[in-house]
Amino acid sequence: RWHSGGAEWPPTGTGVEVDPGQIGLTSISDPFFFSASGIPVIYADAQGSLVSASVTDGTAANWVFDANPIVETPEDAYYSSPCAIDKNGLAAVFFDQRSAAGEPAVISAAIPNTSNQLIPLDEALIFPPEGFLSVEDPMVRYHDISGTYHLWASMWNGSEWSIGHAMSLDGLDWGTLETIQGLPDNSAAPVVQTSRGRFELWYSSFDGVQWNYGSAWAWDGQQWNDAV
């Protein structure tokens, strides 16, 4: 699991794998790992802008940062929690968009232009549904069997978290986020993979004292089973 620190996740014996000091940063957070044309890539949040690191020798040890953000960030915006997808004709990066750190978020996306530069869309894609103040931590997957895109996100109502789920045929026009079923109360931070024709979820839940990690699986992305 790629992460940005915490006592529960001790580092490997090789130490820090992805060092933001290469581009003059002290820290990054919310790393998202994926493969781009066979090359391992990580997108991450760097205090309000989105950065990338990749390896070209086929390993996951020799990471090199790109000195430029993957998306140009306006002065009045704060981007975080990137998630990339390149499936069924859609290449995009989804991310949280805020006016400043700590403010409520919506979910936006950027798609490549003809020069393969990622350009943010003019309007946000996902807004908090009724009763919620913020929606963040997007996770987008394409389901080959149904031919649909699925998005999960953390939703904050002012007192506790829950995870929402929406579907799309093209990855850009989304239905309404609906709270998923089968998880403990106060769950957030969804990470989803597709495997064996089903969705597999890792999440965090707050028990009033600490955050705990859990997992579950679902056929449809909405009703989850065997949450632990």
Side-chain angles (χ1 to χ4, degrees):
R1 176 186 171 106
W2 292 93
H3 68 100
S4 49
E8 299 86 355
W9 295 93
T12 64
T14 58
V16 175
E17 284 90 353
V18 186
D19 184 5
Q22 295 177 20
I23 52 176
L25 298 175
T26 58
S27 66
I28 56 174
S29 59
D30 299 327
F32 180 84
F33 175 88
F34 66 105
S35 176
S37 301
I39 297 176
V41 177
I42 282 180
Y43 285 168
D45 163 22
Q47 293 91 54
S49 63
L50 305 179
V51 297
S52 67
S54 61
V55 295
T56 57
D57 60 3
T59 74
N62 299 315
W63 292 89
V64 177
F65 271 93
D66 189 328
N68 300 309
I70 62 174
V71 178
E72 195 68 33
T73 309
E75 291 185 1
D76 60 349
Y78 187 101
Y79 294 164
S80 59
S81 298
C83 168
I85 189 169
D86 188 358
K87 273 286 195 177
N88 197 41
L90 174 68
V93 177
F94 296 81
F95 51 89
D96 300 347
Q97 179 177 335
R98 295 174 168 83
S99 59
E103 293 297 316
V106 296
I107 294 175
S108 294
I111 59 176
N113 61 13
T114 55
S115 300
N116 209 34
Q117 296 174 309
L118 285 167
I119 306 299
L121 299 176
D122 292 334
E123 300 290 339
L125 294 180
I126 304 287
F127 293 86
E130 185 176 355
F132 292 90
L133 304 177
S134 184
V135 57
E136 47 201 86
D137 306 325
M139 176 59 57
V140 179
R141 292 290 184 233
Y142 181 73
H143 193 237
D144 292 294
I145 296 175
S146 63
T148 52
Y149 294 91
H150 293 252
L151 179 146
W152 297 266
S154 304
M155 303 188 300
W156 173 248
N157 67 5
S159 60
E160 65 178 27
W161 293 95
S162 58
I163 296 175
H165 168 246
M167 296 174 59
S168 171
L169 292 175
D170 63 3
L172 297 176
D173 184 15
W174 292 92
T176 302
L177 278 175
E178 297 183 3
T179 303
I180 64 176
Q181 305 300 312
L183 299 188
D185 292 339
N186 224 357
S187 293
V191 175
V192 179
Q193 295 288 351
T194 55
S195 177
R196 296 171 290 178
R198 67 185 193 178
F199 297 108
E200 299 186 354
L201 166 71
W202 291 263
Y203 63 94
S204 298
S205 61
F206 189 66
D207 62 8
V209 178
Q210 64 181 6
W211 285 94
N212 304 291
Y213 299 106
S215 64
W217 67 271
W219 295 117
D220 60 1
Q222 180 67 24
Q223 179 65 52
W224 294 86
N225 304 283
D226 301 332
V228 295

